[in-house]
Amino acid sequence: VGESDRNKPLLQQLSQQLQTPPIPLINHPNDIMQTTREGAAHAFQHCEGVIMPMSVRVTRENLQALSEGSIELTELLNDTRFPIIIRPVESHAGHGLERLDSAKDIATYLVEQSDEALFYISPFVDYASEDGQFRKYRVVLIKGKPFLAHLAISSHWIVHYLNADMVGNELKCSEEAECMANFDEGFGLTYQAAFAAMYEALPLEYLIIDCAETDDGQLLIFEVDTSAIVHAMDPVEFFPYKRPQMHKIFQAFQRQLAAMKTP
C-alpha cells in the first residue's frame, strides 16, 4: 500500500491492526506514512550527502495571494526565492508539474489546473550535468542495499523514463547499460553512505528512490515511494541489458523474503 491522501485512512487502520503482527512484516504502515514529500524531506534533513528540498502544501488561495503580491514566497516556503517547482498534491509522473520563474507565472498555472485545490511547492534545483543533460536514477533499496532500476537521460529537467526518448538511442542506452553493469563499483559505491543514512532515517525494508547528482556531488532526492513501478517489461530488442538487471533486483527481494522467520 503506497502513501497517498486517499490511502492514509487505510494505512492508519493497518497500523493499529499490525501493532503486534502475527507474521513477519515488510514496510510497517507507520513508516510508509512518512514517505510523503514533506515527511521524507524531514526524515533525510540530517543525512550527510543527501539533499531533498523541503516541499510544503499550499492552497489555491495561498497561490492567488502570492500571485497578487499580498504575501511573499518566504511566508509559504522559508528561505526560498524563485524559481520554484509546483504540482498538484495527488499528481505523479509529472502531471501538472511545472517550474515557475516568478509570481507572474502563477495565474496562468492556476488556469491550467482549474480542478485542483491543493499543491506542493518546493525550491527548484538545477541538476543538469556538464553536457547539459538531466539524469534521473531510480534506485531500489532492499534492506538498505541499493540496486539500479533505471537511468533516464533527458534534455528537459522533468525526467521520466517514458519521456526521455531512451528507445532507440544508442548513446543513452549504452550509458544506462554501463551504469547498471558497474553500479556497485560506481554510483552505488559513491553514495553508499548516503543510502545507508537514508535507510537508518527511514527504515523501510523495500523503498524506491528517484534521485540525481548535484554539481557538487550530493545525492538529490526527488521522491521516495514503496509502490513505484519496478518491472522487466521493456522490449528486449532495445534494452537487452535491462532484464538481467531487473531479475537481480527481484532475486534480492526474494532472498529477503526467504530470510524472514515467523515469530
Side-chain angles (χ1 to χ4, degrees):
V1 181
E3 183 282 325
S4 69
D5 283 5
R6 181 179 299 176
N7 284 348
K8 188 174 181 179
L10 174 58
L11 287 166
Q12 290 172 333
Q13 177 185 337
L14 289 171
S15 180
Q16 291 295 318
Q17 295 175 339
L18 296 172
Q19 288 183 3
T20 55
I23 58 174
L25 180 65
I26 291 178
N27 289 354
H28 196 283
N30 281 341
D31 294 324
I32 294 175
M33 285 190 285
Q34 302 309 309
T35 61
T36 62
R37 295 183 191 278
E38 59 267 49
H42 179 75
F44 299 150
Q45 63 181 327
H46 299 303
C47 293
E48 187 173 354
V50 176
I51 297 176
M52 186 170 186
M54 184 58 67
S55 294
V56 298
R57 294 186 181 211
V58 296
T59 65
R60 192 176 193 88
E61 291 71 27
N62 292 149
L63 293 171
Q64 288 172 338
L66 180 59
S67 175
E68 295 163 0
S70 55
I71 63 173
E72 296 294 327
L73 178 59
T74 52
E75 296 178 55
L76 301 176
L77 198 57
N78 289 339
D79 301 323
T80 299
R81 298 179 179 179
F82 286 98
I84 61 172
I85 60 174
I86 186 170
R87 74 184 80 210
V89 163
E90 287 296 305
S91 78
H92 293 281
H95 297 298
L97 175 62
E98 296 285 349
R99 167 178 159 165
L100 303 181
D101 291 322
S102 73
K104 297 178 181 178
D105 298 331
I106 296 173
T108 300
Y109 178 81
L110 290 178
V111 170
E112 295 170 350
Q113 303 297 325
S114 58
D115 295 331
E116 302 293 341
L118 287 174
F119 303 85
Y120 275 119
I121 60 172
S122 61
F124 174 78
V125 177
D126 187 352
Y127 63 99
S129 302
E130 290 184 0
D131 62 358
Q133 297 292 293
F134 295 87
R135 289 166 170 81
K136 189 206 75 174
Y137 301 78
R138 174 158 290 183
V139 175
V140 181
L141 279 191
I142 299 178
K143 292 286 285 188
K145 179 175 173 54
F147 298 85
L148 183 61
H150 71 226
L151 166 59
I153 306 167
S154 174
S155 58
H156 196 282
W157 67 269
I158 302 178
V159 185
H160 295 280
Y161 205 83
L162 293 178
N163 72 9
D165 296 324
M166 298 291 291
V167 176
N169 190 307
E170 293 185 7
L171 287 176
K172 290 183 179 181
C173 288
S174 176
E175 181 177 339
E176 183 181 39
E178 183 178 356
C179 188
M180 286 182 168
N182 300 306
F183 183 77
D184 290 343
E185 297 79 27
F187 190 92
L189 181 61
T190 299
Y191 296 105
Q192 183 178 46
F195 288 126
M198 292 172 66
Y199 179 56
E200 183 175 353
L202 198 57
L204 286 152
E205 291 85 359
Y206 179 81
L207 183 67
I208 300 101
I209 301 167
D210 283 345
C211 58
E213 293 182 278
T214 63
D215 58 5
D216 60 352
Q218 299 194 77
L219 192 66
L220 173 64
I221 309 300
F222 300 125
E223 61 182 323
V224 299
D225 196 354
T226 58
S227 59
I229 297 173
V230 177
H231 65 87
M233 297 184 292
D234 287 309
V236 176
E237 61 269 29
F238 293 113
F239 305 98
Y241 55 89
K242 290 284 291 287
R243 191 162 293 178
Q245 174 68 14
M246 303 316 294
H247 282 284
K248 182 179 179 180
I249 298 173
F250 303 156
Q251 289 163 6
F253 184 76
Q254 290 165 358
R255 286 195 299 271
Q256 176 183 245
L257 293 180
M260 300 179 76
K261 297 180 180 179
T262 301

